[in-house]
Structures are given as C-alpha cells and as structure tokens.
Amino acid sequence: MINSDQQVSDKHRIKCSTAQLPIRLLLGPGPSNLHPRVNQQLITPMIGYTDVNYFKVMDETMELMRYLFQTDNHFTIPISGAGTAAMECCVSNLIEPEDVVVCLVAGYFSDRIHQQAVRYGSKIQRIEKKWGQYFSLEEIKEQLEKHRPKLLTMVFGETSTGIKQPMQGVGELCHQYDCLLMVDTVAALGGVPFFVDQWKVDACYTGGQKCLSGPPGISPLTFSPRACKKIAERKTPIANWYLDATLLAGYWCPEYNFATSQITSPQPLRRYHHTTPANLIYALRESILLVSEEGIENTWNRHRSAAHQLYQGLARIGLEPLISELNDKNDLGGRLYSLTTVKVPEGIDAKLFMKSLLDKHNIEIAGGIGELAGKIWRVGLMGFNANNSNVTLLLSTLEETLKDFKK
Ligand SMILES: *Cc1c(COP(=O)(O)O)cnc(C)c1O
C-alpha cells in the first residue's frame, strides 16, 4: 500500500467462469443471430473518431442507411444506443412542451412511445385500441381532425402483437393536417417493405439486432426536411443533450442546415459530440451492405417466403396464429412477416414449453408480454435467420415438443 490509510477491499474481486456460452438459434423478437460477416466486424481494430478513414466509414454507413430507409433524407444517422434511444431521439427532438401530440397505442412499444412523450410534452393524447388491432385511416383522420396535433406517433411492426400497421394514405393525411408523422420500424425494417419517402414519413428508426442481423446498441434513424425544420424552429431547448439532433449533426453531417435543408460546401469540420461505438458502426455498415448486395426486394421476399412456410407448417401441426388477417400488399395492414404470434394451445404451459425448446434444442422463441402473457408465443424470422431451413428445423422441433407435452 503506497502512503495510504485506505484499505483495498477484495470483496467483489471475483474470477469469471471460462465456460463457453451456448450457441442458440435466436427465433424470438430480437436479438437475432449475427451474420458471420457482421460478427467479424466486431473484432476489427479500433480507430480514432477523427480519423479520415473513420469519416469514410461514417459516410458509407449514412448512405447505406438511406437505401435501407428508402429515403433521400440527408439527416440519416445511427444513434449510439438501443432502438429505445432512437425512439427517444424522435420524441425529445420533435415534441415541445406545449405541442399537441397524438400517440396511437395498441401494444407494448407504442405504449413506450407514449411513456416517453409525456416526459417531454404536457398535451399528449393517448389513443388506445385493443392489443392485436391496428388503426384504420378513418380512425386516424378522426383523431387528426379532433386534436389537430403537431405530431402523430405509431408503430409499424408491433412486436408484442405481431401486427403490421397499414400505411396507405397515412402520410398524405398527416401532410394535409400539417402534422409530422413518426413511425417505429424496429422489428420490421429490412425484413418488411417500408418506404420512408414514398409514404411521407417524417421520423423513422430501427434497431441493429432485429431484421438486420446486427448487434444491439446501434440504431439507424432518419428525419425528413419537415422534421428538421420543426427542430430548427423550436422555441424551447431540446431537453435531452445526448440525443439532441442538432448537436449530433455537428459530428455526423455538419454541412446540413436544419432550417433550409441546404448543404453547405465544402463540408465544415466534424465536431466531437460523443465517442461513437466504432465496432458497432462497422457491424451496422456490414449488415446493411449485406441487404444491399442481396437487393432489398430480395431480402423482403426471403422474409416473406420464410413467414409463409411458417404459416403453412403451423397449420399442419395444429397451431394457430393470433393475427388472422393476412395481407400481402406493402401498405396494407395485417400479419407481420418478421414476427409471428402463435396462440398457445389449451393445457400447455407456455413457459415450460419454451424452456424445453431452449434446453433440448438451443432454440429461443419468446412468450407473450403484457395482456398476452401466457397466451401466445412470439416467433421471429429476422435478417440472416429468415430462411427456409431454419423454419423446417423450428417446425419439426415444435411438432416433437408438442407431442411430448401432450403425453
Ligand atoms: C425491439 C423493439 C424496440 C426497442 O428496441 P431496443 O433495442 O430493445 O431498445 C422498439 N420498438 C419495437 C417495435 C421493437 O420491436
């Protein structure tokens, strides 16, 4: 001990077990398995955040994210944090304390948006439907007419229920009412067709660990020029420093003017905001590069084909999806391809069943949450995992386990 009256305590000085973690097939609502190429990026050497090579990685990541979102939005950046952080980035930047906001709530994650919104605004309208339903265009119009909000929030692919919210006409309607549209696509983007620009969405985000087969903790986000203008015209400061889009832009896209959407040239120097998680960004870039190499329409079709194989197989082994409505048109609502909710048959303990899949077969699926706890299972076919051989394996495992449980 060097010149000290203090004594070091060894109370918490543990040894870690060197046991390997099991290798699981992750067929729940996320995370999904990493693509091997993505995994490789996580062990790429560290690089400084002002290195010109890193700047190239940043630019490529932003451009690939525009492809993923199907947008020309200049402000398209990855948020250092989980999908929930990207959600809070939208909410904290787009809501001023006196703004009227309509939150459409019909599940766990749309409820989370509402929970965040009430921390940033005092005039938040919560419009609720039963879990497992979506909002019709007429219902949305009614709310816009009644409340005249500045922002409407919704979830496109609701992971807690397996519902896809129809997008047909929603963006146009919001434009008519001079309202910004914020859509959560965490469980869907990259797996289910979504068009930020064509559907006139103003704020949209996703997470790395769902349909992108990437790591959690890095979350693509995009703001339209309309959303950026709203931010530029705020009368009150953004009450969240870490997620302040104007400060983040100082590092990611200092050339972008929020008020006018103009790009200044040459690009001003990128200014430090926080140390971005370089390895997660390499991994994200690789995961979207994989989508781009496959072609995003092919990626969507692969998810769709895996989902259809699952639906047919479930019917064969006597399991029923929670969501009966099946719509194939991109902007219509119904069953979500990337996440299927399945009714737990009478007399089967949902948790014990999942434990058996995990312990005996290393396959993870999830149970229901909230109102649907114990009533459903949630099966994710996301990203790299959305393929026919995984579905075949899952179906035969489900069939075998069902037989065991019915004995
Ligand atoms: C998973 C998920 C989130 C939250 O993502 P995290 O990375 O867990 O914070 C938000 N919305 C939806 C629809 C999700 O499926």
Side-chain angles (χ1 to χ4, degrees), residues 82-304:
T84 304
M87 181 190 284
E88 190 145 357
C89 180
C90 295
V91 169
S92 60
N93 282 273
L94 300 178
I95 301 178
E96 288 200 77
E98 294 300 312
D99 288 352
V100 177
V101 175
V102 166
C103 294
L104 303 181
V105 178
Y108 184 86
F109 286 106
S110 46
D111 172 68
R112 178 172 292 186
I113 297 176
H114 174 259
Q115 287 183 36
Q116 291 186 354
V118 294
R119 295 185 179 211
Y120 292 95
S122 56
K123 297 179 177 161
I124 313 295
Q125 301 293 329
R126 178 188 173 100
I127 312 302
E128 223 160 336
K129 287 201 83 160
K130 241 178 88 114
W131 282 33
Q133 297 183 346
Y134 56 68
F135 292 85
S136 72
L137 195 59
E138 293 68 39
E139 288 165 335
I140 295 172
K141 183 163 187 199
E142 207 178 291
Q143 297 306 327
L144 292 177
E145 186 62 45
K146 186 166 161 201
H147 299 291
R148 302 284 169 157
K150 296 248 173 85
L151 176 72
L152 178 80
T153 74
M154 57 163 62
V155 171
F156 174 61
E158 179 51 76
T159 330
S160 57
T161 62
I163 269 285
K164 181 170 81 126
Q165 165 68 40
M167 295 305 298
Q168 199 171 58
V170 176
E172 282 84 359
L173 201 60
C174 287
H175 273 233
Q176 272 172 32
Y177 282 85
D178 202 17
C179 168
L180 294 173
L181 173 60
M182 162 181 160
V183 186
D184 173 320
T185 63
V186 178
L189 203 74
V192 184
F194 196 87
F195 301 86
V196 166
D197 285 2
Q198 288 175 59
W199 291 352
K200 300 187 163 51
V201 175
D202 294 295
C204 187
Y205 55 94
T206 190
Q209 78 276 25
K210 306 222 179 169
C211 294
L212 296 177
S213 346
I218 190 77
S219 303
L221 171 140
T222 189
F223 284 167
S224 72
R226 274 177 12 122
C228 292
K229 187 157 181 284
K230 153 79 191 181
I231 294 168
E233 289 171 357
R234 282 182 68 113
K235 289 174 193 72
T236 55
I238 295 158
N240 188 318
W241 193 92
Y242 186 61
L243 298 170
D244 180 326
T246 60
L247 300 179
L248 290 166
Y251 181 59
W252 283 96
C253 46
E255 69 282 4
Y256 185 65
N257 181 321
F258 274 57
T260 63
S261 295
Q262 298 297 308
I263 311 293
T264 50
S265 171
Q267 189 190 45
L269 278 184
R270 286 182 150 139
R271 290 184 305 276
Y272 164 78
H273 176 260
H274 67 275
T275 310
T276 49
N279 293 82
L280 296 185
I281 290 178
Y282 303 150
L284 175 66
R285 181 182 60 158
E286 193 72 10
S287 66
I288 311 175
L289 189 62
L290 284 160
V291 173
S292 143
E293 286 173 9
E294 186 176 19
I296 199 163
E297 279 178 288
N298 297 326
T299 313
W300 293 335
N301 281 332
R302 179 165 51 74
H303 281 78
R304 179 174 177 276

Side-chain angles (χ1 to χ4, degrees), residues 55-70:
F55 287 168
K56 274 195 200 121
V57 174
M58 291 166 66
D59 290 336
E60 287 169 3
T61 308
M62 291 166 83
E63 191 62 0
L64 283 168
M65 285 193 301
R66 292 186 188 107
Y67 175 65
L68 179 72
F69 281 119
Q70 290 291 293

